Amino acid sequence: MDDRRPPSRPEMDDRRPPSRPRMEQDPMGDEANYMETTVFLKRKEQGFGFRIVGGHEEGSQVSIGAIVAGSAAHLDGRLLTGDELLYVDGQSVIGSSHRKVVNLMGNAALAGRVSLGIRRKLPANGKI
């Protein structure tokens, strides 16, 4: 019998490489280009460090509001005010209520980390 065991999986590295942005046309027919990417954040003592705004109650997509200076989101640097949230930990939040997204973020806070799918409108020149 072979006593060799497969190597154990290393712990997740908190320093993940940036995700590859995906360029996309707006499905609503807008000529603007959008970038979609995934952002992974590890919760700090004060939280993830951003506010959630919007929701179907307000007739808008849930998006990133203010980012708290010194927070996980601020130190990571990939989230920007106005980024639209597409999913939280793999669950689609397109067209969702504000409350649903807040509840998903609460669950993520308990887990200590979150995966956010975001969409950002690019400037007319298409540069990030």
Side-chain angles (χ1 to χ4, degrees), residues 27-91:
M28 303 307 259
D30 187 353
E31 291 298 316
N33 286 322
Y34 290 83
M35 176 193 79
E36 289 184 8
T37 192
T38 303
V39 175
F40 299 92
L41 295 175
K42 184 175 180 185
R43 186 182 188 281
K44 300 239 180 258
E45 187 176 323
Q46 71 273 24
F48 293 111
F50 61 90
R51 298 192 194 291
I52 299 167
V53 298
H56 77 77
E57 312 90 332
E58 298 177 25
S60 65
Q61 179 59 33
V62 177
S63 60
I64 303 295
I67 296 175
V68 179
S71 68
H74 178 250
L75 296 173
D76 178 82
R78 291 179 287 171
L79 288 180
L80 297 178
T81 298
D83 286 347
E84 294 179 346
L85 285 174
L86 302 178
Y87 65 84
V88 175
D89 286 335
Q91 186 164 347

Side-chain angles (χ1 to χ4, degrees), residues 62-122:
V62 177
S63 60
I64 303 295
I67 296 175
V68 179
S71 68
H74 178 250
L75 296 173
D76 178 82
R78 291 179 287 171
L79 288 180
L80 297 178
T81 298
D83 286 347
E84 294 179 346
L85 285 174
L86 302 178
Y87 65 84
V88 175
D89 286 335
Q91 186 164 347
S92 175
V93 295
I94 297 170
S96 292
S97 69
H98 184 91
R99 176 174 289 198
K100 176 181 177 179
V101 177
V102 168
N103 288 339
L104 289 170
M105 289 302 302
N107 292 338
L110 293 174
R113 59 183 63 225
V114 69
S115 168
L116 301 170
I118 62 161
R119 181 174 97 145
R120 179 177 304 151
K121 187 173 183 177
L122 297 175

